[in-house]
């Protein structure tokens, strides 16, 4: 089995910063990509940022210049540094990993349980 555990969510004032972390554990052969999605109340889940195993990353337009995703391939971890937070960033943030459990197995997507980020004064 595979587990993704997120941490670092919470309440922050507009303009503040938060850092989310995600650790993948279990039966993992390799991780092709890790990323973060978010889902606000009444809205669809959307991609925030993703990073592949070469360090190439991409971001949603709404967070470019404010969020930075990073990854430690050796530790199977990923982080999302969020700065200049806005009320519209309020959402549940989910870590996701596209990984192989064995060299012969297909790449499958695994999700964390989500962590709440609330931006409010």
């Amino acid at each position: 089995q595979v587990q993704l555990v997120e941490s670092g969510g919470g309440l922050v004032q507009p303009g503040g910063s938060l850092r989310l972390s995600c650790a993948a554990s279990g039966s993992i052969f390799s991780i092709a990509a890790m990323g973060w999605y978010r889902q606000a109340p009444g809205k669809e889940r959307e991609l925030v940022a993703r990073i592949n195993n070469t360090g190439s990353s991409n971001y949603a337009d709404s967070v470019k210049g404010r969020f930075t995703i990073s990854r430690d391939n050796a530790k199977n971890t990923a982080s999302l540094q969020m700065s200049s937070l806005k009320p519209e960033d309020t959402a549940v943030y989910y870590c996701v990993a596209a990984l192989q459990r064995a060299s012969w197995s297909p790449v499958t997507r695994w999700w964390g349980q989500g962590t709440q980020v609330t931006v409010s004064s």
Side-chain angles (χ1 to χ4, degrees), residues 24-45:
S25 63
S27 179
I28 299 171
F29 173 73
S30 68
I31 301 179
M34 297 186 76
W36 294 89
Y37 281 71
R38 68 185 180 187
Q39 187 166 22
K43 294 188 177 181
E44 293 188 355
R45 191 173 295 190

Side-chain angles (χ1 to χ4, degrees), residues 10 20 23 25 30 35-36 49 66-67 84 94 96-97 99 110 113 117:
L20 304 183
S25 63
S30 68
W36 294 89
R66 300 188 297 122
F67 291 11
S84 301
Y94 297 90
V96 61
L99 58 86
W110 295 78
Q113 79 286 354
V117 171

Side-chain angles (χ1 to χ4, degrees), residues 63-105:
V63 306
K64 283 181 181 177
R66 300 188 297 122
F67 291 11
T68 302
I69 190 170
S70 60
R71 178 176 168 180
D72 186 328
N73 291 335
K75 296 181 179 179
N76 288 341
T77 59
S79 296
L80 184 69
Q81 179 66 46
M82 306 184 293
S83 303
S84 301
L85 283 160
K86 305 175 181 180
E88 50 263 43
D89 294 318
T90 296
V92 177
Y93 284 69
Y94 297 90
C95 177
V96 61
L99 58 86
Q100 286 180 283
R101 298 190 64 189
S103 60
W104 60 85
S105 63

